[in-house]
Amino acid sequence: MEGFTWCNGLLHADGVPLPAIADAVGTPTYVYSAPAIRTAYRRLETAFAPLGARLHYAVKSSPNLHLCRLLHALGAGMDVVSGGEMERAWLAGVPMAEIVFAGVGKTDDEIRAALDGRFSPLRQAAAGFGAPDPAERGPVGLLNVESESELAAIARLGAELGVRARACLRVNPDVDPHTHEYTTTGKEENKFGIDADRVVAVFDAAAGEEGVELVGLHVHIGSPVPKVEPYAEAVAVLLTLIDDLEARGHRIEVLNLGGGWPIAYREGEVPPLEAYAQRLVPLLEGRSRNGLRVLLEPGRSILANSGILLTRVQHLKRKRVKTFVICDGGMQTLIRPALYRAFHFIWPVRWEGPAPRWEEHPQLAGLETCEVVGPICETGDFLARNRFLPAVARGDLLAVFSAGAYGMSIASNYNDHGRPAEVLVDTGRVQVINERQSLAALLETERSARELSLTSAAMGG
């Protein structure tokens, strides 16, 4: 795993021993490697270079402001799925023109803020973040439209504000991505996108709208997608639609292929990123040469293997069948194992033996069957089940690998646990980029009650 290596019996992040970080900031803590992020970004950029593809980082995968700034410095635009993520991307210094606003449930308030900075919820707070007044920032570069209802709302609000929003229509191609049912987004039964057989009619109906202009198509079939062919199937659907649309006089400038590019949580379990590019580039290269602008929305493929979760063993409970390793990190810190039955390789930070393979049952002597669990009052609170681990003791540090994406972004306060700290390591430089959430901070919004004065009309009188 790039950025994280064992040296003299200790796991290091870019040359910094992880126990030193844990001693300084406590646990659980997410640790990211800046060089690993740069390498992953450049690898994806290079793979799709023949298309001149523009990368828009999927903020939902790991939204920290400092990580967004790092990726923007590499050249990334931002893909956001909420008004909050949009404001976060703008605070990170990303021009609105380089932001694509997706998301299936955009509110009128979010759409207004996307089109006119005067409606930003940060009008009063921007200066405290060193940002200018958002009033003059302009509209987002693109909105990805998820439904005909949303398209009507954008057209209405755009007309009210005197802005003609540029938008892509998200197509549901009814393609099976062969991933977990909760992260499948491109099948007919999913809530995302507009069915392919409705797309031409929607473009026809929107032609000439004062408040919105449809300029392209968007697709996202799921994440992570462990096979190459579903992408080719989705692209075939979209290219047919582009031909149909252009035959009716609609100009298609943008094709957004979404994200979902996988990483190997287990060694060798998915094709390399280059295999996806090798299959898709020939399908799109001619269109790209003729002016079609291709966008990608990577998140996991950049951040997952660039970050780990550090957690400390609090207690051991040895039962007849297995040992429970009870840690301070659990489903409140990393919910993917509980939510998706996702696999994350876990190993002690102190380890003198040969580097283990990333699998449930490494072929090494002296291992025991363990359940790695957290402090939450739920049987479903686990980081790993039936996992072979070397003997660990109370106070030992464990590293949960491939945790850089969809870890911190889905962390919660369940059982009144504060959210973890985040640390960025960059060739020996160590920065705390998110302080551990204190109990006082967690309770702040409950400090006092506020009386509501409701009108008789609102009460049904």
Side-chain angles (χ1 to χ4, degrees), residues 189-274:
E189 62 263 30
N190 301 139
K191 69 179 180 180
F192 299 97
I194 294 171
D195 291 344
D197 60 5
R198 286 287 306 154
V199 168
V200 172
V202 173
F203 263 80
D204 285 347
E209 282 280 3
E210 179 185 349
V212 67
E213 178 185 15
L214 291 177
V215 299
L217 299 178
H218 170 239
V219 68
H220 180 77
I221 59 175
S223 180
V225 181
K227 298 181 179 181
V228 176
E229 203 54 33
Y231 279 107
E233 294 174 26
V235 166
V237 171
L238 267 69
L239 292 182
T240 298
L241 283 172
I242 289 174
D243 290 340
D244 292 345
L245 289 165
E246 291 187 337
R248 296 180 66 84
H250 300 291
R251 182 166 178 262
I252 304 302
E253 302 174 23
V254 179
L255 177 57
N256 186 335
L257 295 181
W261 319 104
I263 59 102
Y265 288 97
R266 297 175 181 84
E267 292 186 45
E269 70 176 346
V270 295
L273 284 171
E274 289 76 8

Side-chain angles (χ1 to χ4, degrees), residues 48 50-51 231 235-236 238-239 242 255 257 277 279-292 294-296:
F48 286 93
L51 301 178
Y231 279 107
V235 166
L238 267 69
L239 292 182
I242 289 174
L255 177 57
L257 295 181
R279 180 70 175 92
L280 297 180
V281 165
L283 302 178
L284 296 168
E285 207 163 5
R287 310 266 183 159
S288 175
R289 282 196 299 268
N290 289 331
L292 183 66
V294 178
L295 307 184
L296 306 178

Side-chain angles (χ1 to χ4, degrees), residues 407-452:
M408 187 63 174
S409 59
I410 323 181
S412 76
N413 294 129
Y414 193 27
N415 289 175
D416 271 348
H417 287 273
R419 282 158 53 90
E422 293 180 281
V423 170
L424 180 65
V425 183
D426 192 354
T427 10
R429 185 186 185 201
V430 183
Q431 291 181 299
V432 177
I433 57 172
N434 196 0
E435 297 288 351
R436 185 175 313 284
Q437 187 182 28
S438 68
L439 180 59
L442 191 157
L443 294 171
E444 180 60 34
T445 56
E446 302 171 42
R447 182 186 295 274
S448 60
R450 179 169 60 89
E451 294 289 339
L452 286 178

Side-chain angles (χ1 to χ4, degrees), residues 28 309 311-312 314-315 317 324-335 338 372-383 385 410-420 442:
L309 170 65
T311 184
R312 195 177 293 278
Q314 301 299 308
H315 302 285
K317 184 184 292 187
F324 286 86
V325 180
I326 304 168
C327 301
D328 54 11
M331 67 184 294
Q332 88 285 11
T333 310
L334 179 65
I335 201 174
V372 184
V373 301
I376 299 301
C377 192
E378 295 277 354
T379 301
D381 173 33
F382 61 89
L383 297 175
R385 283 188 157 166
I410 323 181
S412 76
N413 294 129
Y414 193 27
N415 289 175
D416 271 348
H417 287 273
R419 282 158 53 90
L442 191 157

